[in-house]
Amino acid sequence: MPRTGLPSGSGTWLDPDIPVTGGGPGYGAVVESLRDLLDGFAAASPDEETVRALADAFAAWSKRLERHRVGERQQVFGRRRDLHGRGQVMAPKFAAEESDERSVKGTVTFGRYFLGGNGAVHGGAIPLLFDEVMGRLSNTAGRSQSRTAFLHTDFRSVTPVGVPLSVRAWFESEEGRKRFIRAEIRDGDTLCAESHGLFLALLPGQP
Ligand SMILES: CCCCCCCCCC(=O)SCCNC(=O)CCNC(=O)[C@H](O)C(C)(C)COP(=O)(O)OP(=O)(O)OC[C@H]1O[C@@H](n2cnc3c(N)ncnc32)[C@H](O)[C@@H]1OP(=O)(O)O
């Protein structure tokens, strides 16, 4: 395990070679339910009774989960690389469909939780998705762990909420520690957003 506490990069995207089984076989379904909950909550205008019931249920679950609290290295959330979106809900779920050592293609649907306004995805959620996809690509295929040095995003047209979109990321070049990666999100033939970033392989001891 590297000093970052994150699993070191190896394996291809679709075939990670580090099995992470925390949470058991039902964990992925719970993450999906949590995504549905966030989308449902964002889309709802609940009455007071429903709000009270939600507050009680959330408080009860927070208390129960407190008993299972672990340190960063034992955390399951965001580490299940066998699951789409690696089992986290901070970013929308990217489902990889094709990958090799230098690229990945897949789909994403930004749920209602990621709405900015007027049917468009929030402008912060798009670089978040890019960082997720490009950052993970940067660490695949036996490469060492890296961190984002810069990430530039151009918003070319509105990115719609609730629509399956295609996502592609690929290595532009690798120069020593520097990994230059590009990515784009498309709605059919329409380019919604594109990004390029520099990911730097970490030196020994870098957090
Ligand atoms: C299962 C896991 C899946 C994970 C998926 C999610 C991935 C998410 C990835 C992230 O978001 S990481 C979190 C966000 N990024 C950070 O917190 C990084 C904070 N910055 C740092 O830690 C350091 O700045 C960094 C390690 C990136 C670089 O510091 P170094 O001291 O190692 O590098 P240095 O500053 O010496 O720069 C090395 C080279 O890169 C160049 N460089 C560095 N930063 C640059 C920059 N911003 N723009 C252009 N060039 C840059 C720099 O000029 C130099 O070029 P030369 O070798 O040609 O001289």
Side-chain angles (χ1 to χ4, degrees), residues 81 86 131-132 147-150 177-178 198 200 206:
R81 288 199 281 181
R86 66 188 165 91
D131 195 38
E132 169 71 21
R147 284 203 184 277
T148 319
F150 76 74
R177 294 174 62 207
K178 295 179 183 176
L198 170 60
L200 277 173
Q206 280 184 318

Side-chain angles (χ1 to χ4, degrees), residues 177-198:
R177 294 174 62 207
K178 295 179 183 176
R179 302 169 188 169
F180 292 93
I181 298 182
R182 302 193 81 90
E184 61 181 29
I185 301 173
R186 285 181 183 268
D187 177 12
D189 291 336
T190 305
L191 180 62
C192 299
E194 58 186 335
S195 184
H196 65 273
L198 170 60

